[in-house]
Amino acid sequence: MPLKAVILIGGPQKGTRFRPLSFEVPKPLFPVAGVPMVQHHIEACAKVPGMKEILLMGFYQPHEALSRFLVSAQQEFKIPIRYLQEYAALGTGGGIYHFRDQILSGGAEAFFVLNADVCSEFPLQEMLEFRQQHGDAHSFVILGTTANRTQALNYGCIVANTDTQEVQHYVEKPSTFVSEIINCGIYLFTPAIFQHIGEVFQRNQQELVLEESSNGWQRAEVIRLEQDVFTALAGSGKLYVYKTDGFWSQIKSAGSAIYASRLYLNQYSKSHPERLAQNKAGGPIIRGNVYIHPTASIDSTAVLGPNVSIGEGVTVGAGVRVRESIVLHGASLHDHTCVLNTIVGWDSTIGRWARVEGTPSDPNPNDPYAKIDSETLFRDGRLTPSITILGCSVTIPAEVVILNSIVLPHKELSRSYKNQIILSCCLQLPGRSWPISQAGEL
C-alpha cells in the first residue's frame, strides 16, 4: 500500500519555550540523543514498508541548516524528503489541507501525520495493522497513551469504546477530568480526512462572509485537527485510538529535551547499539547510556553518564564529570569541571574546576503514567528552578558555580550565579519589566 508521512515542524514563533537554543537552529533540528530531533521521526517513517515520501511542513523561512539536513537525510534513508512551507501558521489541520494535492500525489492510500515536538517509539506499523483490524478502509487512527488524572487535563483527552477502541468523545485540554487516555500527536489518515477538514474550511468561510477582513482567506484556512476535526468525528464510527505502552513525551522546553534524550538513549540499546559509547582501554569512563560523536576529544579520566550526549568537535578535559546533560557542537569543558542537568550551547567554554548544574524536571518516577510537566519560566515572580542552559558561545570562568540559570548567547561571565537569567537588556513580561544590566535575579 503506497504511504506517505507528514511531519509538522511549526515555525519560529512556535519555539519560544525552547529559547535561547532555538535562536541558533530551528527547534526540529536541535540534537536529541545525538541526532536532530526530527530525524527520529524520519527514521521511524522510513522503516514502514510502502513509504514513498516524507514531507516536512511548517512556516520556517528557507533555512540553510534545514536544507542541508534534508539533503543528508535523503541520502541516508534513500527516500524522497521535501519541505513544504506554509505562507502563515495554518494550524495542525490547515497545513495538510493547504497541501493536500502534494500529499495525495502518487496515489497515496494512507498517510501519517506526526508532530515534530514529541518523542516516541513511533509504533507506525502497529497503527497500520490496527486500522486493518478496526473500522473500514476510510477510518482514522490516533495514537494514544495513558496519563495520570491530573496531567491528562494538559492534553487532548479521548473517551473510547473499551471493546472496539472507537473514539466516542474527544476534548482538547478539558477543564475537568474526562479520560486518562491522551492524544500523542501522531495520526494515521486516509484521503477521506480532507473531506472532513474541507467541511471545517467551508464553515470558516461562511462565518467570515459578513466580516470585512483583508485576511479572511488566511483565517478560514487556520484549522486545528484536534479542536475542529476530532471533536466532530468522535462518535461517528470513523475515528479510533491505538493505545501504546511504549515511551512517549512532549518536547516543549529545553528541560524536556534532556528527558527525551534519555528515552531515546535507552531505546538505542535495541535500535542503534552502535550509537552508544562503551568502556574501553584509553577511553573515558562510561556510566549508563552515553552518545559521543566520533570527532569529540574526551580525556580518559573523564566520567560521562548516565544520559549524556556529546556533540561534534567537543573537547572534554581531565577529571571532568558530566551527567544528565547535552553538550553541543564545538563546546569545551576544561579540566575537572562538573556539568549536571545542563545543556551546554554550541562553542561554549567552561573553565577549570567550574560547576554548572540545573534542577531536573523529570516526571514522578513513582507514577508509571506521569508525564513531564509543562514548565513555566516564572512562578510567584521568581525564575522556576530547572535545568541550566548555556546559549551559543558562552564563556564560564574557572572555579565558579552556575546554578539553575539561563545564559543568553555570546556572554562572558566573571562570577557565580544562581537562579538567574543572564543577559544585557531589560527583561520584559506583560505589564512589568525588570532592568537587568548583566544578570537578573527575579
Side-chain angles (χ1 to χ4, degrees):
M1 178 172 63
L3 298 169
K4 288 193 179 184
V6 178
I7 303 173
L8 305 178
I9 66 172
Q13 295 96 321
K14 296 293 184 181
T16 55
R17 279 184 281 180
F18 219 73
R19 295 173 181 168
L21 301 170
S22 55
F23 288 153
E24 307 303 322
V25 298
K27 178 182 170 181
L29 299 186
F30 181 81
V32 176
V35 301
M37 185 189 303
V38 74
Q39 182 169 322
H40 297 284
H41 301 61
I42 293 174
E43 286 184 11
C45 293
K47 291 177 182 177
V48 178
M51 186 64 65
K52 301 301 182 184
E53 185 178 39
I54 299 172
L55 302 172
L56 274 61
M57 191 177 298
F59 49 99
Y60 286 99
Q61 293 295 319
H63 196 286
E64 182 180 351
L66 184 58
S67 299
R68 286 199 308 268
F69 170 74
L70 292 176
V71 171
S72 64
Q74 286 191 93
Q75 294 172 346
E76 180 174 354
F77 299 107
K78 306 296 189 292
I79 190 170
I81 305 173
R82 290 189 293 143
Y83 174 54
L84 302 178
Q85 182 187 347
E86 302 171 21
Y87 64 89
L90 298 178
T92 51
I96 62 174
Y97 186 70
H98 182 76
F99 288 111
R100 58 193 180 279
D101 291 341
Q102 299 278 352
I103 295 171
L104 297 178
S105 66
E109 296 181 17
F111 61 97
F112 291 97
V113 173
L114 306 88
N115 283 280
D117 60 355
V118 301
C119 75
S120 172
E121 287 184 342
F122 300 110
L124 306 183
Q125 185 63 39
E126 291 88 337
M127 292 175 69
L128 278 171
E129 296 168 357
F130 174 85
R131 190 179 72 89
Q132 293 170 357
Q133 299 165 5
H134 296 76
D136 56 31
H138 301 296
S139 59
F140 318 119
V141 181
I142 301 175
L143 182 66
T145 190
T146 303
N148 64 41
R149 292 176 66 94
T150 301
Q151 291 181 315
L153 302 179
N154 300 321
Y155 301 90
C157 292
I158 301 167
V159 178
N161 183 298
T162 54
D163 296 324
T164 65
Q165 302 307 316
E166 179 200 340
V167 176
Q168 298 174 321
H169 190 50
Y170 183 92
V171 184
E172 184 69 17
K173 297 181 180 177
S175 57
T176 59
F177 177 75
V178 172
S179 170
E180 294 174 343
I181 306 303
I182 63 171
N183 177 2
C184 292
I186 299 170
Y187 316 120
L188 174 59
F189 295 140
T190 66
I193 193 67
F194 292 121
Q195 175 185 342
H196 301 284
I197 301 177
E199 291 172 359
V200 176
F201 176 62
Q202 295 295 331
R203 187 168 64 248
N204 288 351
Q205 277 192 311
Q206 292 170 5
E207 293 174 354
L208 292 168
V209 165
L210 299 178
E211 293 186 22
E212 295 181 5
S213 174
S214 60
N215 65 339
W217 177 265
Q218 173 182 328
R219 289 169 55 194
E221 275 206 297
V222 176
I223 299 170
R224 305 161 299 178
L225 280 175
E226 298 78 12
Q227 293 97 321
D228 300 328
V229 180
F230 294 163
T231 302
L233 279 175
S236 67
K238 298 177 181 178
L239 187 62
Y240 292 80
V241 58
Y242 173 74
K243 289 184 283 188
T244 178
D245 294 324
F247 73 83
W248 178 88
S249 181
Q250 287 186 321
I251 312 177
K252 295 293 188 183
S253 64
S256 57
I258 290 182
Y259 178 63
S261 184
R262 183 195 307 162
L263 297 177
Y264 279 132
L265 288 172
N266 290 343
Q267 188 190 39
Y268 282 174
S269 60
K270 296 179 180 178
S271 63
H272 289 286
E274 75 282 358
R275 290 181 181 172
L276 293 177
Q278 305 294 330
N279 284 297
K280 56 185 179 182
I285 301 168
I286 304 297
R287 295 180 178 172
N289 295 323
V290 174
Y291 169 85
I292 301 176
H293 193 277
T295 61
S297 175
I298 316 292
D299 190 274
S300 61
T301 60
V303 181
L304 309 179
N307 185 22
V308 168
S309 178
I310 303 292
E312 179 181 355
V314 169
T315 301
V316 177
V320 169
R321 179 70 175 105
V322 185
R323 187 181 74 211
E324 297 285 340
S325 297
I326 297 174
V327 184
L328 297 172
H329 176 108
S332 179
L333 312 184
H334 292 181
D335 296 353
H336 306 292
T337 61
C338 182
V339 177
L340 312 173
N341 300 297
T342 294
I343 296 179
V344 180
W346 299 267
D347 299 314
S348 289
T349 301
I350 302 178
R352 299 175 71 251
W353 294 102
R355 183 182 184 92
V356 181
E357 182 175 359
T359 299
S361 52
D362 294 353
N364 181 356
N366 299 315
D367 182 352
Y369 301 124
K371 309 302 178 191
I372 195 164
D373 283 319
S374 296
E375 299 171 348
T376 55
L377 191 58
F378 298 96
R379 184 178 295 132
D380 298 327
R382 292 186 174 273
L383 187 67
T384 305
S386 64
I387 70 160
T388 287
I389 304 171
L390 307 185
C392 170
S393 300
V394 168
T395 300
I396 306 296
E399 301 181 14
V400 302
V401 176
I402 308 297
L403 179 64
N404 297 336
S405 294
I406 299 172
V407 186
L408 268 66
H410 309 290
K411 297 291 178 283
E412 185 170 343
L413 307 189
S414 59
R415 61 178 179 85
S416 297
Y417 292 94
K418 175 182 178 182
N419 298 333
Q420 297 187 18
I421 298 178
I422 303 168
L423 65 168
S424 297
C425 64
C426 183
L427 179 63
Q428 295 281 350
L429 288 180
R432 62 177 100 176
S433 65
W434 287 269
I436 304 170
S437 56
Q438 178 64 21
E441 184 166 5
L442 306 179

